[in-house]
Each structure stands twice: as structure tokens, then as C-alpha cells.
Amino acid sequence: MSNRIIAIHLDLKGVPPTPRRLIELLPIFAAAGYNAILVEWEDMFPWAVDPRFRNATAYTPQEVARFHQAAHEHNLEIIPLVQCLGHMETPLQFLEYAHLREVPHRSDGLNPLAPGARELVEKMIDDVLALTPTLRYFHLGGDEAWTFGSHPDTHAYIAQHGGAGDGKGNLYMHHVEPLLDKLLARNIRPLLWHDMMIHWAPAALSKLATKADLCVWGYQGTHQTTNYHWKLEYIDKFKNNGIAMWGAAACKGAEFESEDLPDLEQRRINCQSWADVADRYNFAGLIATAWSRYSTDRAQDSPIDAALDSLILCGHILKHGKPSSDYLNTLETLGERQRFETCRNALQQLQDARRSFWRQIQFLRETIACCTLDPHRRKGGTIITYLLRLTASFNRTHEAVLKIHDAFKGLIPDLWLIRYLDERILPMQEEFRQLIAQVKYLVPTAYAAAYAAEFPVDAKL
């Protein structure tokens, strides 16, 4: 499909690019085959509805304007994303908005029946529209609303309007339809993630089809191997009810939380499946998601500058239906390859050292349990051997941290780079301290002789 939108996703709620780097990434996106950017602004947007929604390094209105202008110059269409139901931590974290939560102690889910809930989303949409040039599409999120229907009011509404199938669809549309109509009145086509709709009754799906496109997402394996919400039977169901669809693969951030680098082979397999299905079902667009956090209250993962190889590989597959054999030449041509490889190699060292560290933790804790249960097994030296290996892994992590600071200088604000590293290193330090105390108790003589100066657990990282 020659006019299909191929969008790269910018998830700015984690390891966000500096304003300068945000602009520098645009020619890379264009050269990789993308013609649009799905921008998930979150707390990097200069919100006017409530300035507390901005983080400490949020972009200014002027920086947002420069980004839009530069994107236009590179023929990259902007598709903003504002959450409307789930993933609402950015506004709902504040007590002034706590009455809008579906569950009082959770800030991720909006109660769609709470007075003022829809109005808050409308104000956030208006903020983004005010700083965004002419749009064709606007993404309202709407996925992973884990608490949906759990408030007594929403639970009763669902029961009164048809139960799990019809009722959930009716409640969802009760909340979202005015937002869809608001965008449609401006000749903007709304987009929504699909996972909340897979069990809807045909009537609700047919109604939605007139109001929005669905972005069907799935990041692990293929459509033939998955048993999750993106298997073909759900895609067939949407098609049979007249819904226009987009597909969403992942180019980074899909392996697991706090992962440092994407698995290139897994990304290739996943994108290839989406490219094939897009042709079969005549999808309007394809998206390479690039997650930087799984939600706003979780650790950051996968800085984009160390994942440019995956980003380009996925772009080529989604656009052309197959990978290019020389996709890294794109970075060479743009003068970006050396910097990318420096970033990637530093993060590879960090990832390898972290994996080794936590594997050694398992071995050491199991050995400590063994020697605690049977004191006769304390004298073989295995505990000291594992602790030495653990120390080596920790030292390699420390070396990687120093390289990462140098590699990413100017690419990510210092605040977020330091936090990215602290999220990984502080748990390691704490685990190390606890284990040292246990080992000292079990083998005090060996500890004093072999370990007094060995532990770098107080090293500044």
C-alpha cells in the first residue's frame, strides 16, 4: 500500500532526547523510511492546563514549535498522543485530581463517570492542539485501563447496559465518543489502541467504526504464534465490523521492563509479521513503537540513541515488507554511525554486566542457603568464589556507567541519564551490601582475609 503511514513512536516519558537531539533525530527517521511520528508527549509537554504535569526538563512551547517545523521539513507527519482512560498517572498523581481515579489508591485509571473526568482530557487535548499545526490524526491512547469497571458506579453502569460485552463497550463509548466527536468536528481522525475492544459486541464495534481507527498492537513473536490480544481472530472481528485498522510492532522497549537494548532478531520477526498482515488486511498505517517506560511510574528503558539499528531495521521492514541488507549504511551516510556504536557498546557492556551480576546473585544466595542449613559446607571456598565473580560483574557495571556518561552527553538531559543509571545501580549496591553482611557472618575469617578491600559498594556511580 504505497500511501500507508509508517510511523515511528516517540515515547517521551522516559530518557527523553534533549531539545537539540530531538531535532537531530528527524533526518534519521526520514532516512529509515518513516513518514510520520507518533508523539507521546506525557510530562515533556509544556502543559498549560496544569504546569505540574510538566517534568523538570519539559520542552518549552518554542522548542515544540521548532520540532514541528523541522518535522515538516523532513516530510514527517505529526500524530500526537494524549491518554484518555488508562495510563493517566501524569495528571492523576496529584491529590487535586484523586477524585477522578477509578480506584482511590491508583493513579493509572480514570473513572469515566466521575464529574470532570472527560473535561480534564479535553483540556489536555486542547493544550496539544494549540501548539500543533494542522493534523490529520490524533491518538487518544485508551489502552490497558486495568481498573476499568471496578468503581461501584462504573460496575453498575456496565451491569445496567448489557454486562461484560455490551456494557463495557457502552461505558467506553459514553466516555470517549464526545472526545472523538470533538476531533472529528475539526476534520481530525481519532486513533485508539485496540486491546480494550477485543470482547466488545458487534453493535459497539460498528458504532466505533464510524468514529475512530483502531491501532492493533503486539510486540512478541508473530500473529501465528501469539495467544494474546493481537491474534488474527480479533483482527478478523474488527474487519468484519467495518473498523479501519493500523498495526503496531515494536522497535525497542518490548523485551521487558528496564531492558537496555532491543533484541534485533525478535524485532525483525515481529515487524515482518506486521508488514505481512498489513498487506493482507489493507491497514491504513503501521507504527514502530519505541517504549521508554512501560508506564510513568516504572523504570526507564532502552535509550533511543542505542537502538537506532533496530529503529532503522524496523522502518525498512514496515515500509518495504522486508529488511535491507545494508540498513546501517543509513547511519553512515548521516554521520551518525560512530556515535550510535559508542552508545550501543556502552549499553551492551552495562546490560551484560547486569545480567551476570543478577545471575551470580542467584548462585550466591543458593550457596548461602546451603551453607546456612549445613555448616560443614562453609569451608570449601565456593561462597568466596561466587562473591569474587559478583565483584567482577559489579566492577564491569561501574566501568560501563562511566562510558555511558560520556557516550550520551548532550543526547539525554543529565537528570534522566543519571536516574536511568541509578535505577539500575542502586538495587545492585543494596543487594551487594546485604550479601556482604551475610558472608561476613558465615565465613568471618575468610572474609577478613580476602575481602576487606574488595567491595566497591560505596563507589560513586
Side-chain angles (χ1 to χ4, degrees):
M1 184 175 171
S2 59
N3 61 343
R4 180 179 293 142
I5 290 178
I6 308 295
I8 181 64
H9 171 225
L10 272 178
D11 178 21
L12 297 173
K13 61 182 178 286
V15 282
T18 60
R20 177 177 177 178
R21 188 56 179 165
L22 186 67
I23 303 297
E24 292 174 347
L25 288 170
L26 299 177
I28 301 175
F29 297 164
Y34 299 103
N35 54 24
I37 309 174
L38 177 63
V39 188
E40 191 161 352
W41 291 105
E42 284 291 343
D43 54 1
M44 284 299 290
F45 191 77
W47 299 104
V49 59
D50 191 327
R52 292 176 301 172
F53 297 175
R54 311 173 191 175
N55 71 39
T57 67
Y59 303 127
T60 66
Q62 294 75 24
E63 289 165 344
V64 171
R66 284 195 289 272
F67 166 73
H68 286 142
Q69 178 59 36
H72 176 74
E73 292 169 359
H74 287 92
N75 297 311
L76 291 164
E77 181 173 354
I78 298 298
I79 305 172
L81 189 154
V82 172
Q83 298 289 352
C84 70
L85 190 60
H87 294 295
M88 288 290 290
E89 298 93 344
T90 292
L92 298 189
Q93 64 182 296
F94 300 103
L95 290 179
E96 289 84 347
Y97 301 96
H99 65 287
L100 303 180
R101 300 173 184 171
E102 182 137 30
V103 175
H105 65 275
R106 293 184 58 163
S107 63
D108 57 333
L110 187 72
N111 177 354
L113 296 180
R118 188 189 303 120
E119 288 75 11
L120 172 62
V121 178
E122 286 180 347
K123 290 176 183 177
M124 296 176 73
I125 292 171
D126 287 339
D127 267 8
V128 173
L129 289 174
L131 294 185
T132 309
T134 303
L135 296 172
R136 287 199 298 162
Y137 300 98
F138 197 112
H139 205 307
L140 291 172
D143 62 316
E144 295 184 329
W146 307 119
T147 62
F148 186 69
S150 58
H151 188 280
D153 292 345
T154 57
H155 182 78
Y157 187 101
I158 290 170
Q160 293 165 7
H161 291 79
D166 291 335
K168 285 191 173 182
N170 286 329
L171 176 59
Y172 194 104
M173 290 300 290
H174 171 80
H175 172 62
V176 170
E177 189 172 10
L179 303 175
L180 306 180
D181 289 339
K182 177 186 179 74
L183 293 170
L184 289 168
R186 300 182 62 152
N187 203 30
I188 299 171
R189 182 69 176 176
L191 308 177
L192 291 163
W193 297 121
H194 85 291
D195 52 291
M196 296 296 292
M197 295 80 167
I198 59 175
H199 299 302
W200 281 17
L205 290 175
S206 297
K207 184 176 183 181
L208 180 65
T210 66
K211 304 281 186 176
D213 293 0
L214 285 188
C215 299
V216 185
W217 61 273
Y219 310 139
Q220 300 297 334
T222 72
H223 294 80
Q224 285 70 37
T225 60
T226 187
N227 286 316
Y228 293 109
H229 53 77
W230 53 292
K231 55 187 177 180
L232 290 177
E233 73 173 82
Y234 296 130
I235 296 176
D236 285 328
K237 180 179 180 179
F238 294 144
K239 179 181 179 181
N240 292 338
N241 285 279
I243 290 178
M245 286 177 284
W246 302 40
C251 68
K252 78 175 187 74
E255 271 59 58
F256 57 84
E257 292 183 53
S258 78
E259 182 72 322
D260 295 305
L261 292 170
D263 182 324
L264 283 179
E265 179 60 11
Q266 291 303 311
R267 297 305 101 223
R268 182 194 67 78
I269 291 170
N270 182 242
C271 283
Q272 188 64 63
S273 185
W274 277 111
D276 296 343
V277 167
D279 286 341
R280 194 186 323 167
Y281 288 86
N282 196 29
F283 281 3
L286 286 168
I287 302 166
T289 60
W291 300 104
S292 298
R293 293 185 197 265
Y294 280 23
S295 63
T296 61
D297 55 355
R298 303 192 200 187
Q300 302 173 99
D301 66 80
S302 302
I304 197 168
D305 272 294
L308 294 178
D309 52 349
S310 183
L311 182 149
I312 295 170
L313 172 66
C314 293
H316 285 186
I317 294 172
L318 296 180
K319 181 176 176 61
H320 301 293
K322 60 182 180 180
S324 169
S325 59
D326 60 348
Y327 63 93
L328 282 181
N329 286 344
T330 302
L331 292 175
E332 189 78 49
T333 302
L334 295 171
E336 290 278 353
R337 184 164 183 168
Q338 182 176 355
R339 177 159 51 180
F340 154 71
E341 290 179 345
T342 301
C343 291
R344 193 188 191 286
N345 291 341
L347 272 179
Q348 184 71 63
Q349 181 175 336
L350 177 66
Q351 178 171 283
D352 291 346
R354 290 175 63 213
R355 288 177 175 175
S356 174
F357 178 90
W358 291 110
R359 186 64 168 153
Q360 296 299 328
I361 288 287
Q362 177 187 344
F363 295 152
L364 184 52
R365 285 208 173 276
E366 290 169 350
T367 304
I368 288 172
C370 170
C371 294
T372 300
L373 294 167
D374 188 348
H376 294 292
R377 303 187 186 279
R378 298 179 184 179
K379 299 177 182 179
T382 302
I383 288 179
I384 297 302
T385 298
Y386 282 150
L387 206 46
L388 285 169
R389 292 177 183 174
L390 191 65
T391 303
S393 295
F394 190 92
N395 286 337
R396 289 196 297 273
T397 303
H398 178 64
E399 294 166 1
V401 165
L402 299 177
K403 293 179 181 178
I404 289 168
H405 275 293
D406 290 338
F408 285 89
K409 187 175 182 60
L411 304 181
I412 301 170
D414 289 343
L415 170 66
W416 302 114
L417 183 59
I418 291 169
R419 289 190 183 175
Y420 179 91
L421 295 170
D422 282 348
E423 288 161 2
R424 286 149 175 75
I425 305 305
L426 293 179
M428 297 170 70
Q429 288 181 322
E430 182 59 30
E431 193 75 16
F432 217 157
R433 291 190 182 99
Q434 292 179 17
L435 282 167
I436 290 170
Q438 287 185 275
V439 170
K440 186 175 182 180
Y441 171 76
L442 285 172
V443 283
T445 303
Y447 174 86
Y451 263 138
E454 289 289 341
F455 291 108
V457 295
D458 294 315
K460 182 176 178 57
L461 297 179

